[in-house]
Amino acid sequence: MSLAALNPRHIQNFSDAATLEPHWGYAMRALPCKNDAGSCEYLDVVYHAHDVGMLYVGILWASIAGVLLLWAVWRQSSRSSTGGPAYGRLADDEDGTRPIPSQRRPLLSPLITFTRRHLLQRNPLPSIFGNASRLQLLILAVLLGYLTLFTFLGITYKTWTTPVKAQPGLYQTRSSLGPWSDRLGVLAFALLPFSILLASRESVLSLVTGVPYQHFNFLHRWLGHVIFAQSLLHTIGWCIVELRLYQPQPSVGSAWVKQKYIIYGLVAMGLLLVLWVSALPFVIRRTGYEVFRKAHYLLAMLFIGGCWGHWKQLECFLIPSLVLWLLDRAVRLVRTGMIHYYHRDAASGEKGLVTPPTFGFSTFKAHARIFENEVDSAIVRLDLHHSNPAAAWLPGQHFFLTFPECSLWQSHPFTPVCQPYTEAGSGSQSYVFRAKRGETKKVASLVRGRKGRVGEKDERGKVIKDERVAVILSGPYGQSVVEDDGNGEHDVLCVAGGTGITFVLPVLLHHLAHDAEDGRRLVLVWVVRHRSDARWLEGEVQALRDSKRVEVKLFVTRDDHAADAVEKGSASASSSSSASRAEGRPDLASLVSSVTSTSRPTRVYGSGPAGMLNDLRDAVAGCEGPKEVKLVCDDRLEW
Ligand SMILES: Cc1cc2nc3c(=O)[nH]c(=O)nc-3n(C[C@H](O)[C@H](O)[C@H](O)COP(=O)(O)OP(=O)(O)OC[C@H]3O[C@@H](n4cnc5c(N)ncnc54)[C@H](O)[C@@H]3O)c2cc1C
């Protein structure tokens, strides 16, 4: 908003001012004040409240930066004292902490036990906060505490009745509602870059804290609610002031609402309302996730544009928001380009042909298999080969996959379920995913429609040249979740439900490949609906069994009849054989306590349905004693 825009109706007369005092993020102050005493006192309060508000915003950002700095230092110091992970970067655990070196454990063990017992558990209000842990709730509560204080502090609360110029006998009410509404507006602007930081896939926060980007989604969503509430209250506050308290009405109100910066403000508020409603879980379920995602990006950028038109003075928050958003997109594009630019089709190499590198952009061709099931939706397995070090990945990381034959405009996260690799040379990746309602369903239809039909025409009349599916990879995202102590200092328990196996299997394959023989105890608990589901990864699970180093426990929850070899009930979970099967859901509490009953530290990896992960959290939280039991779960952002 410019001074010229303010001039015609503003309380201050800028042309008559001796000096114009600059205030960061606000209109200039015309000095000396030549209004009546009440109006001058009101202006003092307005400008002071704004300046203090900007200071509070500075404190808020300094606090965020301080916490991140401390976190980074803590990560770095624990990395150097543990000697650092021998293999790539190590992700932090559910609670965001890192493994603690043994010599420091006695001192910190009460803190570790407290965190595990009280903060890792599911939150007491899942209907409101979903599957967030108590720790996530605590962080949100601290942020809300800060914001509540900064919303009310530093404002003098008072009401002034002042005469209307040139209209003797008419008075208007000036109150602290104006500066309070401004404070809310400033805070909402200031939170925008933080909200974008929390939502970025190429996440600066992950780089600093080691926490995978999707774990910040909870805070991003709640910050969205906060920004919406602040903006709404800011709008309501100013509507009351301008349409009711200022006189004479309706002329003051109608002059106010016709101003450009107010029109922009109202447009921004309208966009934010649509943004907020479209991000509510039940609306996302109706519109579909992909529609929500695209609309969310677009509306967010339009909203920032609206904010710019409304209050350009606070561009210090708008420019970083746009830059962070554009950087996120640009880095994604560059990383995808790096994977696909130098790609050479390894399949030709296999046949002994010398193929020159393919320069330019080319997709990977994945061999696809489909596992149909009468009761549940199908499962698709993709296997692809490539020779690009840019696609090297670590256990716990995932890629975004685009299937150009279905749509160029969608990319979905999937976790490779095979031996991770970090070096240059030929690598292979396998993916296993369930065909849901959107893109995955289209991929399943594509695979079905091509199976055994090379040379025939598809439903669009095109000749099917290849059974394989074209894939574009982007990533990897997330961080390594394994710690290579080499000599097996900690045991590993992996608990997976259904396709959650993709998160935990690479951890076990990694340990098999890198650990000394008889190093640590490795246990896999895989809960599937049907016995036939084990076919998705027959070769991989068989390899674990054959190694005789992994105890594999398969639980089948929905089949009516048990197989001959199936052991009944969860008691079989404690079986000492290297492979066992059982009917029904496992008793996770007794499983976890049976693995963690020794004095050795344990890492528990979990992935699967939300209910199962909540049970796992509770089971880990209930572990007795100060020994280190760390839980690492992936977050699949299921709605
Ligand atoms: C880090 C991560 C790793 C994953 N790894 C696997 C895996 O290895 N195997 C597997 O079967 N599934 C995995 N998923 C889940 C998988 O990404 C979704 O099932 C898939 O995107 C659904 O696509 P759709 O269009 O068919 O979904 P829809 O039927 O349209 O939606 C179903 C649900 O899938 C989720 N979803 C849809 N699109 C996306 C998206 N672009 N980004 C994030 N979530 C989305 C939403 O929660 C949505 O409610 C993973 C998810 C994440 C976040």
Side-chain angles (χ1 to χ4, degrees), residues 336-400:
T336 306
M338 279 171 67
I339 291 180
H340 289 271
Y341 186 67
Y342 288 111
H343 166 59
R344 176 153 59 92
D345 196 343
S348 339
E350 273 168 22
K351 289 178 201 145
L353 300 172
V354 181
T355 31
T358 315
F359 292 109
F361 195 92
S362 73
T363 58
F364 294 126
K365 295 279 186 282
H367 290 279
R369 266 190 288 164
I370 188 152
F371 299 89
E372 305 281 5
N373 188 300
E374 281 168 16
V375 193
D376 295 312
S377 49
I379 290 286
V380 176
R381 175 173 173 147
L382 299 178
D383 295 279
L384 55 92
H385 299 274
H386 58 77
S387 51
N388 193 331
W393 60 284
L394 300 162
Q397 292 189 309
H398 60 273
F399 285 81
F400 273 73

Coordinates of all heavy atoms in Angstrom, one line a residue, residues 336-400:
T336 N 16.0 -34.8 -11.0 CA 15.4 -35.8 -12.0 C 16.2 -35.8 -13.2 O 16.5 -36.9 -13.8 CB 13.9 -35.3 -12.3 OG1 13.2 -35.2 -11.1 CG2 13.2 -36.3 -13.2
G337 N 16.6 -34.6 -13.7 CA 17.4 -34.5 -14.9 C 18.7 -35.3 -14.7 O 19.2 -36.0 -15.6
M338 N 19.3 -35.1 -13.5 CA 20.6 -35.8 -13.3 C 20.5 -37.3 -13.4 O 21.4 -38.0 -13.8 CB 21.2 -35.4 -11.9 CG 21.9 -34.1 -12.0 SD 22.3 -33.5 -10.3 CE 23.5 -34.7 -9.9
I339 N 19.4 -37.8 -12.9 CA 19.2 -39.3 -12.9 C 18.9 -39.8 -14.4 O 19.5 -40.8 -14.8 CB 17.9 -39.7 -12.1 CG1 18.3 -39.5 -10.6 CG2 17.6 -41.2 -12.3 CD1 17.1 -39.9 -9.7
H340 N 18.2 -39.0 -15.1 CA 17.8 -39.5 -16.4 C 18.6 -39.0 -17.6 O 18.6 -39.6 -18.7 CB 16.3 -39.1 -16.7 CG 15.4 -39.9 -15.8 ND1 14.9 -41.1 -16.2 CD2 14.9 -39.7 -14.6 CE1 14.1 -41.6 -15.2 NE2 14.2 -40.8 -14.2
Y341 N 19.5 -38.0 -17.3 CA 20.2 -37.5 -18.4 C 21.3 -38.4 -19.0 O 21.4 -38.7 -20.1 CB 20.9 -36.1 -18.0 CG 21.5 -35.4 -19.2 CD1 20.8 -34.9 -20.2 CD2 22.9 -35.3 -19.2 CE1 21.4 -34.3 -21.3 CE2 23.5 -34.7 -20.3 CZ 22.8 -34.2 -21.3 OH 23.4 -33.6 -22.4
Y342 N 22.1 -39.0 -18.0 CA 23.2 -39.8 -18.5 C 22.8 -41.3 -18.5 O 23.6 -42.2 -18.6 CB 24.3 -39.7 -17.5 CG 25.0 -38.4 -17.6 CD1 25.0 -37.5 -16.6 CD2 25.7 -38.1 -18.8 CE1 25.6 -36.2 -16.8 CE2 26.4 -36.9 -18.9 CZ 26.3 -36.0 -17.9 OH 26.9 -34.8 -18.1
H343 N 21.5 -41.6 -18.5 CA 21.1 -42.9 -18.4 C 21.5 -43.8 -19.6 O 21.4 -43.3 -20.8 CB 19.5 -42.9 -18.3 CG 18.9 -44.2 -18.5 ND1 19.2 -45.3 -17.8 CD2 18.0 -44.7 -19.5 CE1 18.5 -46.4 -18.3 NE2 17.8 -46.0 -19.3
R344 N 22.0 -45.0 -19.4 CA 22.3 -45.9 -20.5 C 21.5 -47.2 -20.2 O 21.6 -47.7 -19.0 CB 23.8 -46.2 -20.5 CG 24.1 -47.2 -21.6 CD 25.6 -47.0 -22.0 NE 26.5 -47.1 -21.0 CZ 27.1 -48.2 -20.6 NH1 26.9 -49.3 -21.3 NH2 28.0 -48.2 -19.6
D345 N 20.7 -47.7 -21.1 CA 19.9 -48.8 -20.9 C 20.7 -50.1 -20.6 O 21.4 -50.6 -21.4 CB 19.0 -49.1 -22.1 CG 17.8 -50.0 -21.7 OD1 17.9 -50.6 -20.7 OD2 16.9 -50.0 -22.5
A346 N 20.7 -50.5 -19.3 CA 21.5 -51.6 -18.9 C 21.0 -52.9 -19.6 O 21.8 -53.9 -19.7 CB 21.4 -51.8 -17.4
A347 N 19.7 -53.0 -20.0 CA 19.2 -54.2 -20.6 C 20.0 -54.6 -21.9 O 20.3 -55.7 -22.1 CB 17.7 -54.0 -21.0
S348 N 20.4 -53.6 -22.7 CA 21.2 -53.9 -23.9 C 22.5 -54.4 -23.5 O 23.1 -55.3 -24.1 CB 21.3 -52.6 -24.8 OG 20.4 -51.7 -24.5
G349 N 23.1 -53.8 -22.5 CA 24.4 -54.3 -22.0 C 24.4 -55.7 -21.6 O 25.3 -56.5 -21.8
E350 N 23.2 -56.1 -21.0 CA 23.1 -57.5 -20.6 C 23.3 -58.5 -21.7 O 23.8 -59.6 -21.6 CB 21.7 -57.7 -20.0 CG 21.7 -57.4 -18.5 CD 20.2 -57.4 -18.0 OE1 19.4 -58.0 -18.7 OE2 20.0 -56.7 -17.0
K351 N 22.8 -58.0 -22.9 CA 22.9 -58.9 -24.1 C 24.3 -58.9 -24.7 O 24.5 -59.5 -25.7 CB 21.9 -58.5 -25.1 CG 20.5 -58.8 -24.7 CD 19.5 -58.2 -25.8 CE 18.1 -58.0 -25.2 NZ 17.5 -56.9 -25.8
G352 N 25.2 -58.2 -24.1 CA 26.6 -58.2 -24.6 C 26.8 -57.2 -25.6 O 27.9 -57.1 -26.2
L353 N 25.8 -56.3 -25.9 CA 26.0 -55.3 -26.9 C 26.7 -54.1 -26.2 O 26.5 -53.8 -25.1 CB 24.7 -54.8 -27.4 CG 23.8 -55.9 -28.1 CD1 22.4 -55.3 -28.4 CD2 24.5 -56.3 -29.4
V354 N 27.6 -53.5 -27.0 CA 28.3 -52.3 -26.4 C 27.4 -51.1 -26.8 O 27.2 -50.8 -28.0 CB 29.7 -52.1 -27.0 CG1 30.3 -50.9 -26.4 CG2 30.5 -53.3 -26.7
T355 N 26.7 -50.5 -25.8 CA 25.8 -49.4 -26.2 C 26.5 -48.1 -25.7 O 26.9 -48.0 -24.6 CB 24.5 -49.5 -25.4 OG1 24.7 -50.2 -24.2 CG2 23.4 -50.2 -26.2
P356 N 26.5 -47.1 -26.6 CA 27.0 -45.9 -26.2 C 26.1 -45.2 -25.2 O 24.9 -45.5 -25.3 CB 27.1 -45.0 -27.5 CG 26.1 -45.7 -28.4 CD 26.0 -47.1 -28.0
P357 N 26.6 -44.4 -24.3 CA 25.7 -43.7 -23.4 C 24.6 -42.9 -24.1 O 24.9 -42.4 -25.2 CB 26.6 -42.8 -22.6 CG 27.9 -43.1 -22.9 CD 27.9 -43.9 -24.2
T358 N 23.4 -43.0 -23.6 CA 22.3 -42.3 -24.2 C 22.3 -40.9 -23.6 O 22.0 -40.7 -22.4 CB 21.0 -42.9 -23.9 OG1 21.1 -44.3 -24.1 CG2 19.8 -42.4 -24.8
F359 N 22.7 -39.9 -24.4 CA 22.6 -38.5 -23.9 C 21.2 -38.0 -24.2 O 20.6 -38.3 -25.1 CB 23.7 -37.7 -24.5 CG 25.1 -38.1 -24.1 CD1 25.9 -38.7 -24.9 CD2 25.5 -37.9 -22.7 CE1 27.2 -39.1 -24.5 CE2 26.7 -38.3 -22.3 CZ 27.6 -38.9 -23.2
G360 N 20.8 -37.1 -23.3 CA 19.4 -36.6 -23.4 C 18.6 -37.2 -22.4 O 19.1 -38.0 -21.5
F361 N 17.3 -36.9 -22.4 CA 16.4 -37.5 -21.4 C 15.8 -38.8 -21.8 O 15.2 -38.8 -22.9 CB 15.4 -36.4 -21.1 CG 14.6 -36.6 -19.9 CD1 15.0 -36.1 -18.7 CD2 13.5 -37.5 -19.9 CE1 14.3 -36.3 -17.5 CE2 12.8 -37.7 -18.7 CZ 13.2 -37.1 -17.5
S362 N 15.9 -39.8 -21.0 CA 15.2 -41.0 -21.4 C 14.7 -41.7 -20.1 O 15.3 -41.5 -19.0 CB 16.2 -42.0 -22.1 OG 17.1 -42.5 -21.2
T363 N 13.6 -42.3 -20.3 CA 12.9 -42.9 -19.1 C 13.5 -44.3 -18.8 O 14.2 -44.8 -19.7 CB 11.4 -43.1 -19.3 OG1 11.2 -43.9 -20.5 CG2 10.7 -41.8 -19.6
F364 N 13.3 -44.8 -17.6 CA 13.7 -46.2 -17.4 C 12.5 -47.1 -17.8 O 11.4 -46.7 -17.7 CB 13.9 -46.4 -15.9 CG 15.1 -45.6 -15.4 CD1 15.0 -44.8 -14.3 CD2 16.4 -45.8 -16.0 CE1 16.1 -44.1 -13.8 CE2 17.5 -45.1 -15.5 CZ 17.3 -44.2 -14.4
K365 N 12.9 -48.3 -18.2 CA 11.8 -49.2 -18.6 C 11.8 -50.3 -17.5 O 12.8 -51.0 -17.3 CB 12.1 -49.9 -19.9 CG 12.1 -48.9 -21.1 CD 10.7 -48.6 -21.5 CE 10.6 -47.7 -22.7 NZ 10.8 -46.3 -22.5
A366 N 10.7 -50.4 -16.8 CA 10.6 -51.4 -15.7 C 9.8 -52.6 -16.1 O 8.7 -52.5 -16.7 CB 9.9 -50.7 -14.5
H367 N 10.3 -53.8 -15.7 CA 9.5 -55.0 -15.9 C 8.4 -55.0 -14.8 O 8.7 -54.7 -13.6 CB 10.4 -56.2 -15.7 CG 11.4 -56.4 -16.8 ND1 11.1 -57.0 -18.0 CD2 12.7 -56.0 -16.9 CE1 12.1 -57.0 -18.8 NE2 13.1 -56.4 -18.2
A368 N 7.2 -55.3 -15.2 CA 6.1 -55.1 -14.3 C 5.4 -56.5 -14.1 O 5.3 -57.3 -15.0 CB 5.1 -54.1 -14.8
R369 N 5.0 -56.7 -12.9 CA 4.2 -57.9 -12.6 C 3.0 -57.5 -11.7 O 3.2 -56.5 -11.0 CB 5.0 -58.9 -11.7 CG 5.7 -60.0 -12.6 CD 6.3 -61.1 -11.8 NE 7.5 -60.6 -11.1 CZ 8.0 -61.3 -10.0 NH1 7.4 -62.4 -9.6 NH2 9.1 -60.9 -9.4
I370 N 2.0 -58.2 -11.9 CA 0.8 -57.8 -11.1 C 0.3 -59.0 -10.3 O 0.3 -60.1 -10.8 CB -0.3 -57.2 -12.0 CG1 -1.4 -56.6 -11.2 CG2 -0.8 -58.2 -13.0 CD1 -2.2 -55.5 -11.9
F371 N 0.0 -58.7 -9.0 CA -0.5 -59.8 -8.1 C -2.0 -59.5 -7.9 O -2.3 -58.5 -7.1 CB 0.3 -59.8 -6.9 CG 1.8 -60.1 -7.1 CD1 2.7 -59.1 -7.3 CD2 2.2 -61.4 -7.1 CE1 4.0 -59.3 -7.6 CE2 3.6 -61.7 -7.3 CZ 4.5 -60.6 -7.6
E372 N -2.8 -60.2 -8.5 CA -4.3 -60.0 -8.3 C -4.8 -60.7 -7.1 O -4.2 -61.6 -6.6 CB -5.1 -60.5 -9.5 CG -4.6 -60.0 -10.9 CD -5.1 -58.6 -11.2 OE1 -5.7 -58.0 -10.3 OE2 -4.8 -58.1 -12.3
N373 N -5.8 -60.1 -6.6 CA -6.4 -60.7 -5.4 C -7.9 -60.4 -5.4 O -8.4 -59.3 -5.8 CB -5.8 -60.0 -4.1 CG -6.3 -60.7 -2.9 OD1 -7.4 -60.8 -2.6 ND2 -5.3 -61.2 -2.1
E374 N -8.7 -61.5 -5.2 CA -10.2 -61.3 -5.3 C -10.8 -60.4 -4.3 O -11.7 -59.7 -4.6 CB -10.9 -62.7 -5.1 CG -10.8 -63.6 -6.4 CD -11.2 -65.0 -6.1 OE1 -11.8 -65.2 -5.1 OE2 -10.8 -65.8 -6.9
V375 N -10.2 -60.3 -3.1 CA -10.7 -59.5 -2.1 C -10.2 -58.1 -2.1 O -10.9 -57.1 -2.0 CB -10.5 -60.2 -0.7 CG1 -11.3 -59.5 0.4 CG2 -10.7 -61.7 -0.7
D376 N -8.8 -58.0 -2.1 CA -8.2 -56.7 -2.0 C -7.8 -56.2 -3.4 O -7.7 -57.0 -4.4 CB -7.0 -56.8 -1.1 CG -7.4 -57.1 0.3 OD1 -8.3 -56.5 0.8 OD2 -6.8 -58.0 0.8
S377 N -7.4 -54.9 -3.5 CA -6.9 -54.4 -4.7 C -5.5 -55.0 -5.1 O -4.8 -55.5 -4.2 CB -6.8 -52.9 -4.7 OG -6.1 -52.5 -3.5
A378 N -5.2 -55.0 -6.4 CA -4.0 -55.7 -6.8 C -2.7 -55.0 -6.3 O -2.7 -53.8 -5.9 CB -4.0 -55.7 -8.4
I379 N -1.7 -55.7 -6.4 CA -0.3 -55.2 -6.1 C 0.5 -55.2 -7.3 O 0.5 -56.2 -8.1 CB 0.3 -56.1 -5.0 CG1 -0.4 -56.0 -3.6 CG2 1.8 -55.8 -4.9 CD1 -0.1 -54.7 -2.9
V380 N 1.3 -54.2 -7.5 CA 2.1 -54.1 -8.7 C 3.6 -54.2 -8.2 O 3.9 -53.5 -7.2 CB 1.9 -52.8 -9.5 CG1 2.9 -52.6 -10.7 CG2 0.5 -52.7 -10.0
R381 N 4.4 -54.9 -9.0 CA 5.8 -55.0 -8.7 C 6.5 -54.5 -9.9 O 6.3 -55.0 -11.0 CB 6.2 -56.4 -8.3 CG 7.7 -56.4 -8.1 CD 8.3 -57.7 -7.5 NE 9.7 -57.7 -7.6 CZ 10.5 -58.2 -6.7 NH1 10.1 -58.9 -5.7 NH2 11.9 -58.1 -6.9
L382 N 7.4 -53.6 -9.7 CA 8.2 -53.1 -10.8 C 9.7 -53.4 -10.5 O 10.2 -53.2 -9.4 CB 8.1 -51.5 -11.0 CG 6.7 -51.0 -11.3 CD1 6.8 -49.4 -11.3 CD2 6.2 -51.5 -12.6
D383 N 10.4 -53.8 -11.6 CA 11.9 -54.0 -11.4 C 12.6 -53.3 -12.5 O 12.2 -53.5 -13.7 CB 12.2 -55.5 -11.5 CG 11.6 -56.3 -10.4 OD1 12.2 -56.3 -9.3 OD2 10.5 -56.9 -10.6
L384 N 13.5 -52.4 -12.2 CA 14.2 -51.7 -13.2 C 15.7 -51.7 -13.0 O 16.2 -51.9 -11.8 CB 13.7 -50.3 -13.4 CG 13.6 -49.4 -12.1 CD1 14.9 -48.6 -12.1 CD2 12.4 -48.4 -12.2
H385 N 16.4 -51.6 -14.1 CA 17.9 -51.5 -14.0 C 18.4 -50.2 -14.5 O 17.8 -49.7 -15.4 CB 18.5 -52.6 -14.8 CG 18.1 -54.0 -14.3 ND1 18.7 -54.7 -13.3 CD2 17.1 -54.8 -14.8 CE1 18.1 -55.8 -13.2 NE2 17.1 -55.9 -14.0
H386 N 19.4 -49.7 -13.9 CA 20.0 -48.5 -14.4 C 21.5 -48.4 -14.0 O 21.9 -49.2 -13.2 CB 19.3 -47.2 -14.0 CG 19.2 -47.1 -12.5 ND1 20.3 -46.7 -11.8 CD2 18.2 -47.4 -11.6 CE1 20.0 -46.7 -10.5 NE2 18.7 -47.1 -10.3
S387 N 22.2 -47.5 -14.6 CA 23.6 -47.4 -14.3 C 24.0 -46.0 -13.9 O 25.0 -45.5 -14.3 CB 24.4 -47.9 -15.5 OG 24.0 -47.1 -16.6
N388 N 23.2 -45.4 -13.1 CA 23.4 -43.9 -12.8 C 23.7 -43.7 -11.3 O 22.8 -44.0 -10.5 CB 22.2 -43.1 -13.3 CG 22.6 -41.6 -13.3 OD1 23.4 -41.2 -12.5 ND2 21.9 -40.9 -14.2
P389 N 24.9 -43.3 -11.0 CA 25.2 -43.0 -9.6 C 24.2 -42.0 -8.9 O 24.1 -42.0 -7.7 CB 26.6 -42.6 -9.5 CG 27.0 -42.2 -10.9 CD 26.0 -43.0 -11.9
A390 N 23.6 -41.2 -9.8 CA 22.7 -40.1 -9.2 C 21.5 -40.8 -8.6 O 20.8 -40.1 -7.8 CB 22.3 -39.1 -10.3
A391 N 21.2 -42.0 -8.9 CA 20.1 -42.7 -8.3 C 20.5 -43.6 -7.2 O 19.7 -44.5 -6.7 CB 19.3 -43.5 -9.4
A392 N 21.7 -43.5 -6.7 CA 22.1 -44.2 -5.5 C 21.3 -43.9 -4.3 O 20.8 -42.7 -4.2 CB 23.6 -43.9 -5.2
W393 N 21.0 -44.8 -3.5 CA 20.1 -44.6 -2.3 C 20.5 -45.4 -1.1 O 21.3 -46.3 -1.2 CB 18.6 -44.8 -2.7 CG 18.4 -46.3 -3.2 CD1 18.8 -46.8 -4.4 CD2 17.8 -47.3 -2.4 NE1 18.4 -48.1 -4.4 CE2 17.8 -48.5 -3.2 CE3 17.3 -47.4 -1.1 CZ2 17.3 -49.7 -2.7 CZ3 16.7 -48.6 -0.7 CH2 16.8 -49.7 -1.5
L394 N 19.9 -45.1 0.0 CA 20.2 -45.7 1.3 C 18.9 -46.3 1.9 O 17.8 -45.8 1.6 CB 20.8 -44.7 2.2 CG 22.1 -44.0 1.7 CD1 22.4 -42.8 2.5 CD2 23.3 -45.0 1.8
P395 N 19.0 -47.3 2.8 CA 17.8 -47.8 3.4 C 17.0 -46.7 4.1 O 17.6 -45.9 4.8 CB 18.3 -48.8 4.4 CG 19.8 -49.1 4.0 CD 20.3 -47.9 3.3
G396 N 15.8 -46.6 3.9 CA 14.9 -45.6 4.5 C 14.6 -44.5 3.5 O 13.7 -43.7 3.8
Q397 N 15.3 -44.5 2.4 CA 15.0 -43.4 1.4 C 13.9 -43.9 0.4 O 13.7 -45.1 0.3 CB 16.3 -43.0 0.7 CG 17.3 -42.3 1.6 CD 18.4 -41.7 0.9 OE1 19.1 -42.4 0.1 NE2 18.7 -40.4 1.1
H398 N 13.3 -42.9 -0.2 CA 12.3 -43.2 -1.2 C 12.5 -42.3 -2.4 O 13.2 -41.3 -2.4 CB 10.9 -43.1 -0.6 CG 10.6 -41.8 -0.1 ND1 10.9 -41.3 1.1 CD2 10.0 -40.7 -0.8 CE1 10.5 -40.1 1.3 NE2 10.0 -39.7 0.1
F399 N 11.8 -42.7 -3.5 CA 11.8 -41.9 -4.8 C 10.4 -41.5 -5.1 O 9.5 -42.2 -4.7 CB 12.4 -42.8 -5.9 CG 13.9 -42.9 -5.9 CD1 14.5 -43.9 -5.0 CD2 14.7 -42.2 -6.6 CE1 15.8 -44.1 -5.0 CE2 16.1 -42.3 -6.6 CZ 16.7 -43.3 -5.7
F400 N 10.3 -40.5 -5.9 CA 9.0 -40.1 -6.5 C 9.0 -40.7 -7.9 O 10.0 -40.4 -8.7 CB 8.8 -38.6 -6.5 CG 8.2 -38.1 -5.2 CD1 8.9 -38.1 -4.0 CD2 6.8 -37.8 -5.1 CE1 8.4 -37.7 -2.8 CE2 6.3 -37.4 -3.9 CZ 7.0 -37.3 -2.8

